[in-house]
Amino acid sequence: GDSVTQMEGPVTLSEEAFLTINCTYTATGYPSLFWYVQYPGEGLQLLLKATKADDKGSNKGFEATYRKETTSFHLEKGSVQVSDSAVYFCALIYNNNDMRFGAGTRLTVKP
Amino acid sequence: GAGVSQSPSNKVTEKGKDVELRCDPISGHTALYWYRQSLGQGLEFLIYFQGNSAPDKSGLPSDRFSAERTGGSVSTLTIQRTQQEDSAVYLCASSFSGTRTDTQYFGPGTRLTVL
């Protein structure tokens, strides 16, 4: 079935470091891909999304490009801040309109 | 506007009791989803409502779990004869049309603890 595999954490970076969180997917067709973020004590929020191949989603300095050839949707940010500390979830929607999530990657950014 | 709201925010119950969890979706959203977030299983889909169509119950883990959506708006997730493994955060989400390109907006969740 459709599924998402994302890089396991936790990830600890210093402020202003470059961030990559890998995400690959398995689907029989072309799903929509999402990154959600969960800040400490808060609910899930959409960070960005891409709905077709080669689309790039971006928000708050984060970017991810829908790569059909590598079935990937890696999350990147050029310079992380302490306030980016959160758990990041890669997700897809394809067949049944329910969202399939990766296991989540906890990011801690130290000053 | 108002986001997705859920109540209660926390629920502690004893094993074997029934619980009801409520979700108020964003006004005008036709699709409503329930998910469960637990340490061992991550985020799992439970059930999906779209308009007046029959719900997709394919994610419900057992027949102790059921959900209703009244009037195309508010939804209630019921867990009968709760077990300790039901302890988790139950998340509700809604989207405008329920298509695969639609963003799902999540509520803050209900943390259920079964003693």
Side-chain angles (χ1 to χ4, degrees):
Chain A
D2 304 337
S3 65
V4 171
T5 303
Q6 71 179 96
M7 174 175 139
E8 292 197 18
V11 174
T12 302
L13 296 173
S14 298
E15 209 164 21
E16 298 184 3
F18 184 85
L19 169 72
T20 300
I21 301 178
N22 288 340
C23 172
T24 56
Y25 68 88
T26 301
T28 52
Y30 301 115
S32 293
L33 301 171
F34 303 79
W35 277 100
Y36 277 82
V37 59
Q38 191 169 32
Y39 297 104
E42 298 185 16
L44 278 170
Q45 303 175 24
L46 177 71
L47 182 60
L48 53 84
K49 72 179 187 181
T51 59
K52 60 183 188 296
D54 301 324
D55 270 2
K56 177 186 282 188
S58 60
N59 186 25
K60 299 182 181 179
F62 290 88
E63 292 184 341
T65 301
Y66 189 159
R67 301 280 188 206
K68 182 181 66 173
E69 60 276 12
T70 54
T71 61
S72 65
F73 193 54
H74 304 322
L75 182 68
E76 296 182 336
K77 186 173 185 181
S79 177
V80 293
Q81 305 301 311
V82 172
S83 57
D84 294 326
S85 297
V87 181
Y88 292 82
F89 293 91
C90 186
L92 68 78
I93 299 178
Y94 178 55
N95 258 334
N96 299 320
N97 297 313
D98 58 286
M99 192 165 283
R100 306 293 173 93
F101 290 89
T105 302
R106 181 177 298 278
L107 170 67
T108 302
V109 181
K110 299 194 170 182
Chain B
V4 177
S5 61
Q6 293 185 245
S7 61
S9 54
N10 279 286
K11 176 72 176 179
V12 180
T13 190
E14 293 179 348
K15 178 181 171 182
K17 296 283 180 70
D18 297 352
V19 295
E20 285 190 351
L21 312 179
R22 177 188 166 105
C23 171
D24 278 276
I26 293 172
S27 178
H29 280 192
T30 62
L32 186 148
Y33 309 79
W34 283 98
Y35 295 89
R36 178 169 70 174
Q37 186 175 22
S38 56
L39 280 176
Q41 301 296 323
L43 271 156
E44 308 169 85
F45 163 75
L46 296 176
I47 188 169
Y48 159 60
F49 295 89
Q50 172 57 49
N52 296 321
S53 302
D56 176 356
K57 304 180 183 179
S58 59
L60 294 178
S62 79
D63 58 7
R64 296 186 295 105
F65 288 72
S66 62
E68 290 185 341
R69 188 177 185 194
T70 54
S73 181
V74 171
S75 178
T76 302
L77 177 69
T78 302
I79 309 173
Q80 296 178 309
R81 304 181 303 281
T82 52
Q83 304 294 314
Q84 288 183 333
E85 61 262 28
D86 299 335
S87 296
V89 177
Y90 289 82
L91 296 171
C92 177
S94 70
S95 70
F96 180 70
S97 63
T99 65
R100 68 172 187 85
T101 60
D102 243 2
T103 297
Q104 294 184 20
Y105 296 88
F106 284 80
T110 294
R111 182 175 296 277
L112 174 66
T113 303
V114 182
L115 302 177

XYZ file of all heavy atoms in Angstrom, chain B residues 2-7 22-27 32 34 73-75 92 94 107:
140
model
N -12.386 30.350 12.845
C -12.097 29.324 13.829
C -11.522 28.104 13.146
O -11.912 27.747 12.034
C -13.376 28.967 14.583
N -10.623 27.446 13.836
C -10.040 26.222 13.324
C -10.835 25.024 13.781
O -11.963 25.138 14.284
N -10.251 23.854 13.633
C -10.866 22.622 14.108
C -10.751 22.589 15.636
O -9.672 22.838 16.175
C -10.161 21.391 13.497
C -10.758 20.109 14.045
C -10.241 21.430 11.978
N -11.859 22.303 16.286
C -11.797 22.198 17.743
C -12.178 20.787 18.175
O -12.962 20.108 17.500
C -12.700 23.231 18.415
O -14.046 23.030 18.037
N -11.585 20.369 19.300
C -11.838 19.041 19.823
C -12.073 19.130 21.323
O -11.489 19.983 22.005
C -10.646 18.111 19.555
C -10.428 17.807 18.092
C -9.311 16.794 17.889
O -8.273 17.089 17.312
N -9.546 15.580 18.366
N -12.911 18.247 21.809
C -13.138 18.201 23.254
C -13.396 16.761 23.690
O -13.910 15.958 22.900
C -14.335 19.097 23.626
O -15.514 18.656 22.985
N -15.152 14.414 20.834
C -15.913 15.258 19.918
C -14.998 16.087 19.040
O -13.930 16.533 19.476
C -16.824 16.177 20.735
C -17.642 17.167 19.931
C -18.348 18.154 20.838
N -18.866 19.284 20.077
C -20.154 19.448 19.779
N -21.057 18.557 20.177
N -20.558 20.511 19.091
N -15.457 16.313 17.808
C -14.714 17.154 16.872
C -15.662 18.120 16.171
O -16.693 17.702 15.624
C -14.017 16.290 15.824
S -13.265 17.237 14.465
N -15.298 19.406 16.178
C -16.012 20.425 15.411
C -15.111 20.868 14.263
O -14.097 21.540 14.500
C -16.335 21.641 16.280
C -17.571 21.441 17.109
O -18.655 21.680 16.573
O -17.435 21.037 18.265
N -15.458 20.518 13.026
C -14.575 20.875 11.912
C -14.715 22.355 11.556
O -15.582 23.053 12.091
C -15.117 20.004 10.775
C -16.574 19.878 11.085
C -16.666 19.812 12.587
N -13.871 22.793 10.651
C -13.978 24.160 10.141
C -15.289 24.280 9.351
O -15.616 23.391 8.552
C -12.764 24.497 9.260
C -11.494 24.539 10.138
C -12.955 25.810 8.526
C -10.211 24.679 9.358
N -15.989 25.366 9.580
C -17.272 25.567 8.919
C -17.097 25.535 7.403
O -16.198 26.180 6.849
C -17.849 26.926 9.341
O -19.064 27.172 8.672
N -14.079 15.130 6.834
C -13.622 15.067 8.228
C -12.906 13.741 8.438
O -13.349 12.699 7.959
C -14.819 15.195 9.176
C -14.530 15.301 10.675
C -15.578 16.158 11.365
C -14.426 13.943 11.338
N -10.486 11.251 11.269
C -9.967 10.946 12.607
C -8.662 10.176 12.449
O -8.575 9.230 11.632
C -10.953 10.104 13.414
C -12.108 10.857 13.983
C -13.375 10.955 13.475
C -12.132 11.596 15.218
N -14.176 11.700 14.296
C -13.435 12.103 15.377
C -11.188 11.859 16.207
C -13.821 12.880 16.483
C -11.564 12.626 17.300
C -12.862 13.126 17.427
N -21.563 17.928 10.009
C -20.659 18.831 10.714
C -19.938 18.116 11.848
O -18.953 17.423 11.613
C -21.436 20.043 11.228
O -20.575 20.932 11.880
N -20.461 18.220 13.043
C -19.805 17.686 14.238
C -19.682 16.168 14.156
O -20.577 15.484 13.653
C -20.615 18.071 15.490
C -20.105 17.359 16.720
C -20.596 19.575 15.687
N -18.557 15.662 14.651
C -18.340 14.222 14.677
C -18.014 13.761 16.090
O -17.381 14.497 16.865
C -17.210 13.836 13.734
O -16.944 12.440 13.786
N -8.403 15.050 15.095
C -9.434 15.240 14.086
C -8.907 16.249 13.068
O -8.165 17.185 13.433
C -10.705 15.764 14.740
S -12.050 16.136 13.603
N -10.059 18.375 9.180
C -11.084 18.603 8.163
C -10.441 19.233 6.936
O -9.377 19.858 7.020
C -12.225 19.479 8.691
O -11.828 20.814 8.901
N -7.052 19.562 14.404
C -7.377 20.102 15.712
C -6.251 19.825 16.697
O -5.279 19.148 16.365
